[in-house]
Amino acid sequence: MKLLLLLSSSLVFMTLTHSATPGSDSPCEGRDVSLDQFRWNNRILVIFAGDSTQDTYRDQMDLLKSHNDGVLDRDLVIFSIFDNQCSLLGDETISDASAREIRKKLSPVTSYSIYLIGKDGGVKLKKDQVLEVGELYSVIDSMPMRQREMRDGS
């Protein structure tokens, strides 16, 4: 009985962590997206990590989730590009091809990296450690487009 419970728990955990890995026999089938489709509408955070259980990734996501109103107010969309599981746009799985294209475009060199991309499509900030929300907001709020948004109330 304990073995059955342990096996059931393991299967649930594997399912919850998007167990298919890029390049494996089970490709990640999800939405085809590109960074360019968000240009002029959204700022983008791209987080590169081994998987969603990596401590640095979890710490970053906890910070962002605890400041969700500010994230939404600044028109941020969040990509999570993983080495060892399916990549995400928010909570939605994206295709392997989309993840590869984003990785190719930004070329991260460490096991954890975070990029802020402005509405104009340019990289505004790159960090290889957890990005504090205050620093993120400071960079965004100093951008001319954001200054205009705050002034116009949009």
Side-chain angles (χ1 to χ4, degrees):
M1 182 68 162
K2 288 182 183 178
L3 180 59
L4 181 58
L5 183 59
L6 181 62
L7 288 173
S8 296
S9 297
S10 296
L11 288 174
V12 169
F13 178 75
M14 287 173 31
T15 301
L16 290 175
T17 58
H18 301 106
S19 61
T21 57
S24 73
D25 291 339
S26 302
C28 298
E29 295 180 14
R31 181 174 164 194
D32 286 323
V33 293
S34 73
L35 298 178
D36 289 337
Q37 74 188 67
F38 296 95
R39 188 174 296 196
W40 305 118
N41 294 311
N42 296 96
R43 294 173 186 91
I44 305 168
L45 275 181
V46 181
I47 305 170
F48 292 96
D51 59 42
S52 61
T53 64
Q54 184 174 333
D55 289 341
T56 314
Y57 175 79
R58 289 172 50 180
D59 292 346
Q60 185 69 67
M61 293 308 291
D62 288 346
L63 273 175
L64 294 170
K65 287 176 184 173
S66 69
H67 293 87
N68 193 50
D69 289 344
V71 168
L72 293 174
D73 185 50
R74 288 166 178 83
D75 298 327
L76 278 166
V77 296
I78 302 171
F79 281 88
S80 300
I81 308 298
F82 299 119
D83 296 329
N84 303 315
Q85 72 184 62
C86 292
S87 296
L88 304 170
L89 169 57
D91 292 329
E92 183 181 358
T93 300
I94 65 172
S95 69
D96 284 341
S98 296
R100 276 192 307 274
E101 188 60 34
I102 292 168
R103 185 174 293 282
K104 179 180 173 186
K105 181 173 183 149
L106 297 175
S107 303
V109 294
T110 61
S111 63
Y112 178 86
S113 295
I114 185 167
Y115 291 76
L116 170 63
I117 300 170
K119 286 187 175 184
D120 64 356
V123 174
K124 306 302 181 187
L125 179 69
K126 178 192 176 296
K127 300 274 289 195
D128 294 329
Q129 58 195 21
V130 172
L131 175 59
E132 295 298 325
V133 174
E135 181 180 0
L136 172 66
Y137 289 176
S138 177
V139 171
I140 292 172
D141 292 349
S142 69
M143 295 176 182
M145 279 188 202
R146 176 66 179 155
Q147 293 282 317
R148 197 170 325 123
E149 291 166 0
M150 291 188 298
R151 191 174 46 251
D152 297 345
S154 56

